Amino acid sequence: SDGSAASGASSSNAGAAAGSDTAGAIPGPVALQVPGSVRLGFAATAQQGAQPLQGVFGELVWLQDGSQYDLKLAWTFLFKTLRSQHSTGRIGPTGIEPLRFSDTRRTEVASHFDRDKGQVVFSSNVPSVMLLAGAQDRLSVVLQLGALLAGDPARYPTGAVIAVQTVGPRDAEIWTFNVEGEEELAVPAGQFQARKLTRNPRKPFDDKIELWLAPALGWLPVRIRQTQTNGDFIDLQLRNQNALRTANP
């Protein structure tokens, strides 16, 4: 279709669109194209109980030098950080390979990827779990999915399913993302063609995750929406982006 052809053409320019010169194809068993260092600013709308939250902003900062990376997402309101997630690790044959993930609200809770022992260790005294190949954390998975689509868009047509072990601060579960069609999306940063991926809840308290990834931006997210079973949600929509030429994790 015209859409898939356009997507393929856009992905070839992903390095230029997405950031620094270290963007590019990763040699390994799966076709991947990891974005270069970039800062994405988001406007957020949210609902928490009966209280709608306006004036919330999100900032995602991705730094990588071709071998190591540092990824952070923070939500702020009136210059106060409401929540932040932080992922650090390396760039390897399977793409983004996390070593540590933390989620901070009032206090930090962290997960450690012990690749030598093949397990994930949690700071919250939850029992360790087996680390599976290609595992991601709840933040890095967003960029890893983009790297997979950038590497070979034709491999993930509408209806495709991508399963990834996704590590949170207290658990590690297989998250299944359904690849949906291309949408024309209007966000504060402008109009984008984007492919939508959805992770539907499998268990009673699972969140629904919706991602819109834009080929023109190297398959970076232009919208991220997370919905809880009680109806609470946060919806991040891209408002600006800046390539960061100096990658220094």
Side-chain angles (χ1 to χ4, degrees):
S1 71
D2 292 340
S4 62
S7 299
S10 297
S11 71
S12 66
N13 296 322
S20 75
D21 298 334
T22 52
I26 301 294
V30 178
L32 289 151
Q33 189 160 319
V34 175
S37 299
V38 69
R39 178 186 288 111
L40 304 178
F42 294 91
T45 55
Q47 181 83 26
Q48 194 165 11
Q51 182 69 37
L53 297 176
Q54 300 289 343
V56 178
F57 293 95
E59 184 180 68
L60 184 149
V61 178
W62 162 253
L63 299 171
Q64 63 104 339
D65 62 5
S67 60
Q68 298 182 75
Y69 79 86
D70 187 294
L71 174 61
K72 189 169 186 179
L73 176 62
W75 296 263
T76 58
F77 177 68
L78 297 177
F79 305 104
K80 179 182 178 183
T81 300
L82 302 176
R83 182 182 179 187
S84 65
Q85 293 180 329
H86 191 195
S87 174
T88 56
R90 63 197 186 200
I91 308 293
T94 61
I96 299 169
E97 299 179 354
L99 293 173
R100 186 181 191 273
F101 169 71
S102 65
D103 194 335
T104 304
R105 298 193 199 218
R106 292 182 180 84
T107 58
E108 181 187 80
V109 186
S111 308
H112 300 268
F113 293 69
D114 189 335
R115 296 185 177 276
D116 292 334
K117 295 182 179 177
Q119 61 184 15
V120 181
V121 180
F122 303 98
S123 68
S124 55
N125 294 323
V126 177
S128 300
V129 299
M130 183 182 294
L131 177 64
L132 303 181
Q136 299 296 316
D137 59 55
R138 292 188 181 184
L139 183 54
S140 69
V141 69
V142 176
L143 271 72
Q144 176 76 355
L145 289 169
L148 289 168
L149 268 70
D152 187 1
R155 184 175 177 175
Y156 306 100
T158 300
V161 174
I162 305 174
V164 185
Q165 185 188 33
T166 305
V167 174
R170 296 180 178 85
D171 59 21
E173 297 185 336
I174 304 297
W175 280 16
T176 302
F177 289 87
N178 298 305
V179 181
E180 301 178 23
E182 195 166 89
E183 297 182 11
E184 181 80 26
L185 203 62
V187 295
Q191 295 275 131
F192 292 92
Q193 287 284 336
R195 289 293 298 277
K196 186 182 180 188
L197 285 77
T198 301
R199 181 247 177 176
N200 288 308
R202 293 174 58 198
K203 297 193 296 191
F205 296 102
D206 283 354
D207 291 348
K208 180 178 181 179
I209 311 291
E210 297 166 279
L211 307 173
W212 287 262
L213 307 179
L217 292 184
W219 298 89
L220 289 167
V222 291
R223 185 179 179 192
I224 303 170
R225 182 181 172 98
Q226 182 171 347
T227 307
Q228 298 178 3
T229 50
N230 64 3
D232 289 0
F233 70 86
I234 185 162
D235 191 335
L236 300 172
Q237 299 193 23
L238 187 71
R239 56 194 292 263
N240 55 55
Q241 53 123 359
N242 304 99
L244 301 175
R245 295 292 168 183
T246 305
N248 184 23

